[in-house]
Amino acid sequence: MTQPPPPQQPPQGGGFGPPQDQPPQTPPPAAGPDLGKAPEPGYGYPQAPQAPQTPPPAAPQTPPQPPQGYGYPQGAPAPQPPQAPQTPPGYGYPGQQPGPYGQPQQAPYGQPGYGQPGFGQPGYGQQPGYGYPQQTMPHPPQAGQPGGGGKFNAQMLIIVAAVVAIALIIGGGVWYASSGEDDGKKDDTASSSGGTGGTDDDNGGTTSGKEKAPSDPSAKVLFQVPAPEVKNDSTVVVSGSWLTDKAYVKSGIARIVGYDRDKGGELWKIPLAGPVCQASRHVTDDNLTAILYQPAMPTKADPSHGCSQIALIDLDAGKRLWTKTVKTGDQLINFDNITLSGKTVAVGSTSGGAAFDVSGKLLWSPKPADSCYDAGYGGGEKLVAVRKCGSYDQRQLHIQTIDPKSGKVISEYKMTEGIEYASIVSTNPLVVAADVGDSAGDGSGISDFFSIDSKTGKLRTRISAPGEQFAARCEGITRVEACNLLAVGNDRLYLPTEEHDGTGKYSQTNEIVAFDLATGKQTGQRADAGDGYTISPLRMDGGNLIAYKRPPYDKGGQVVSISGAGFKETTLLQNPATDAVRDVETSMSPEYSEFLYADGHLFMSKVYASKRSTVRDKEYLAVGFGTS
C-alpha cells in the first residue's frame, strides 16, 4: 500500500521509564477542529496549491537506520532499506512511480513496522518505552513511496519473531456483521478482517444489509478525543475500540472510556492497573468483551510486567466484571492474544491456551505434558484454534474448530509442515491466511488463503494472493486474528489490490476484487476506488460490503456500501474536504488505526500514544464523524 505511515508513531531512539505522574484525565473533547485556522495537511499530502496545477513530485526518501540498543535483538542483522521491485504497471499491480509531491525531506518520527497490522507500532529496533511490551518490528515503506514498492522481506519477520514476543493489538477498525446462527454473540470489532455476510438467495443474489444511505451523506466532525499526555520518550498501548447502541468505547492509558456517540462526552471510565496489551474484536449480544492487560504500570527497571491479566468488560454498564490469571506451576502465563466466541473468552500463548466462561469459570488451561499447544484462537461465530505441534524445525499447524464450552475438537485441518504461522481470517466460513515458504516477500504475512470446511476439516480450495498484487495483511506470529484490509462474506473473500497508476498525473488508486471460497477463482466483481482514492474493506453488512475510501489531498474520505450481488456502490458517508478536517482524517489510516462504522457514524482511533516530537496543532486519540 502507498498510504503514508501514520504520524502517531513513537519517536526514534525513545527512552523508557515511568511517567513522573499519572496521565491526566482526558478533557472533554472539542466539538471539532479549528476551522478558522488552516493546519498543516496530513502527513504525506501536499500543501494546498495556490493555483489549480499539480506540483512536481519529490524524490522518495531513504529510510533511517534504526539504533542498536535496548529492544534490538542481539545478533540480528539490521534491516536494510526496502527496495522497490521492478514490476510492470497494470490492473491491480503497482507500477514504479515517483514519490508524490509534498514529500517531507526528513523521515517521520518512529516509523511503524511495515507488514505488521499493529497500526503504528515502532520501527524495527525501536526502543520500547513505558507501557510497551518489548519487541522489534520491521520498517514500513516511506511516506509517499509508490504502492507495492520497497516491501520488507518476510524472512526477517520470522527471525524477529523468534527473538522476542510481539504483544501488539491490531486495530484496523471494523465491525463484523454476521448472519445465520449467532450462538449468543455479535461481532462489534476493532480489527479489519471482515466477518461473514448474508446468505445467497434463490436468484444468486444476497440478503441486504442494515446500513442505509441517508438522504444527505455529507458528514461533520462530531467530536475529538485529545491524545493523552505521555511522559518522556515513551510509547503506550491504547488499542481496542468498540461501538454499542449508546457508546463509542476506546482504550486510553491504563483505562477504558465510554463516550457519547454523538457528542463525545465521557459516559463512564474503567481504570486499569497497567496498559492494555490486547483487546478482543468480538462482543456478545449483551455487549460484553474481553481484554488482556499488564498487572502494573511499567517502570524503567521493569519496562514490561507481561500480559497476564484477563478481564471481562461490560460495555453498557462501564464495569470490569472480573479479572483472571492462569499459571503454569508457580509462574503466571503471559498471553499473546484474546478472543471471544459465544460465551467463551479464549487466550493463547507459546505456553498454551486457556478459556473462561463469561461467568468467570475456568473451562480449560494448558497441560504441561502436551507435546502440542494452542498458540491462539479465532472467535466470532465459531471458535478455531491454531495448534502448534512438533519441534521448531519440523513445525506443523493444526487448524481446529473446537467446542467453545468444552474445548472438544470438532474438525481439524493439518497444514503442510514448514508453515510456521497462520492467521484466522474468518471462522464461519473458515478462512486461514499464511505466508507459505516466506513467498509473500512483502511482510504482509500472506501468500495464500485456505478455505476450509469447518465441519469436516477438509480443504475446499486454496487461493494464491501474491503480495505484490494484493494489499491485505495478517500478522499471525502471535496474534492469530490480526488481519486487516480484507473481508469475508457471501462465501467470498474480498481483497484490495495494491495501488497503481490512476488516470490523473501522479495519482494512485486501487480496487476491491472478490474470490469464490468454493472454487478459489475470482468472481469478476470489482469495485474501483476512483482516481486518487484508495479503497479498503472494513466489514460485511449482511450481504453487502462496507468499505472506506481514503481521499486524495483535495477531498474528504468516504464510507461506501457495495452490494454483494451486483457490486453496486452507494455512498453512506462523505467527510468534509476542508484542510483542517482532512488533516485530522488523514492522520489515521486503515492500515495503522482502528476504524468503526455504523448507523452513519465513522470512528477512527490510534492504537499507540507517544510523546509528540513533531510540531502539530493538535494530536487526537480518536475522532468521530457523522451524518445528520
Side-chain angles (χ1 to χ4, degrees), residues 1 3 45 172-174 485 496 510 512 529 533-539 545-552 555-562 569 573-575 581-582 584-591 595-597 602-604 625:
M1 296 292 292
Q3 302 293 350
Y45 283 78
V174 295
L485 307 181
N510 76 327
I512 291 176
Y533 290 89
T534 52
I535 189 168
S536 304
L538 292 183
R539 64 173 176 90
L545 174 66
I546 303 297
Y548 171 72
K549 289 186 175 184
R550 185 173 172 86
K555 294 182 174 63
Q558 298 178 347
V559 175
V560 297
S561 176
I562 302 169
E569 184 178 308
L573 179 144
Q574 170 69 62
N575 280 338
V581 175
R582 192 173 62 253
V584 175
E585 177 176 6
T586 56
S587 70
M588 305 184 196
S589 70
E591 291 97 325
F595 276 51
L596 295 173
Y597 175 82
L602 172 65
F603 299 95
M604 306 175 179
F625 299 93

Side-chain angles (χ1 to χ4, degrees), residues 184-198:
K185 78 277 179 187
K186 64 183 179 182
D187 295 317
D188 295 14
T189 86
S191 93
S192 15
S193 61
T196 57

Side-chain angles (χ1 to χ4, degrees), residues 217-561:
S218 299
K220 64 180 180 179
V221 177
L222 298 176
F223 65 89
Q224 299 147 337
V225 178
E229 182 180 357
V230 178
K231 300 291 185 179
N232 304 320
D233 293 332
S234 307
T235 300
V236 186
V237 177
V238 289
S239 294
S241 60
W242 304 267
L243 194 57
T244 73
D245 294 339
K246 298 180 180 179
Y248 168 66
V249 183
K250 175 63 186 167
S251 295
I253 296 181
R255 66 178 187 170
I256 298 175
V257 182
Y259 301 93
D260 182 280
R261 296 199 334 170
D262 294 308
K263 298 180 181 179
E266 285 192 8
L267 301 176
W268 49 260
K269 179 170 59 180
I270 302 173
L272 301 171
V276 172
C277 301
Q278 301 281 322
S280 171
R281 62 179 57 188
H282 307 290
V283 177
T284 66
D285 280 343
D286 50 354
N287 286 328
L288 304 181
T289 194
I291 63 168
L292 283 171
Y293 68 96
Q294 295 189 45
M297 294 301 294
T299 65
K300 183 176 181 180
D302 193 353
S304 176
H305 294 282
C307 300
S308 59
Q309 309 296 298
I310 308 163
L312 187 72
I313 304 296
D314 186 329
L315 298 174
D316 283 337
K319 294 181 179 180
R320 181 177 48 175
L321 300 182
W322 50 253
T323 297
K324 302 291 182 179
T325 60
V326 181
K327 290 185 176 181
T328 174
D330 295 331
Q331 298 295 318
L332 287 175
I333 296 177
N334 293 319
F335 291 99
D336 300 317
N337 53 77
I338 187 166
T339 195
L340 189 150
S341 179
K343 296 185 179 298
T344 297
V345 176
V347 287
S349 73
T350 55
S351 298
F356 293 86
D357 184 84
V358 292
S359 66
K361 176 185 176 182
L362 179 65
L363 299 178
W364 67 82
S365 60
K367 298 178 177 60
D370 280 355
S371 59
C372 302
Y373 65 92
D374 289 356
Y377 301 92
E381 290 190 39
K382 296 185 178 183
L383 186 62
V384 176
V386 175
R387 190 166 178 82
K388 295 192 175 185
C389 298
S391 61
Y392 180 78
D393 57 349
Q394 289 184 312
R395 182 83 70 206
Q396 185 173 39
L397 304 183
H398 297 199
I399 308 301
Q400 298 177 334
T401 298
I402 61 179
D403 185 319
K405 296 180 180 179
S406 66
K408 179 182 177 180
V409 177
I410 297 172
S411 68
E412 179 179 74
Y413 172 73
K414 295 182 180 180
M415 303 193 76
T416 304
E417 286 189 16
I419 299 177
E420 293 291 333
Y421 308 102
S423 299
I424 305 298
V425 176
S426 168
T427 60
N428 188 29
L430 179 53
V431 180
V432 174
D435 185 359
V436 180
D438 306 326
S439 58
D442 64 347
S444 66
I446 304 171
S447 66
D448 296 84
F449 291 93
F450 298 78
S451 175
I452 302 168
D453 188 322
S454 61
K455 295 181 180 179
T456 65
K458 294 182 179 180
L459 181 68
R460 299 175 66 196
T461 190
R462 177 171 165 176
I463 299 171
S464 176
E468 72 272 14
Q469 296 183 32
F470 300 101
R473 59 183 62 183
C474 295
E475 188 228 277
I477 298 174
T478 59
R479 299 171 297 138
V480 301
E481 281 189 305
C483 295
N484 69 315
L485 307 181
L486 75 174
V488 173
N490 306 319
D491 207 33
R492 294 184 175 99
L493 170 66
Y494 298 99
L495 298 178
T497 65
E498 285 283 2
E499 293 182 32
H500 56 83
D501 286 349
T503 57
K505 194 174 183 180
Y506 308 124
S507 71
Q508 296 277 288
T509 188
N510 76 327
E511 302 80 28
I512 291 176
V513 296
F515 289 85
D516 190 305
L517 290 175
T519 66
K521 298 179 180 180
Q522 287 197 38
T523 65
Q525 294 170 309
R526 163 176 152 167
D528 295 316
D531 200 41
Y533 290 89
T534 52
I535 189 168
S536 304
L538 292 183
R539 64 173 176 90
M540 296 304 298
D541 172 36
N544 299 333
L545 174 66
I546 303 297
Y548 171 72
K549 289 186 175 184
R550 185 173 172 86
Y553 73 93
D554 57 346
K555 294 182 174 63
Q558 298 178 347
V559 175
V560 297
S561 176

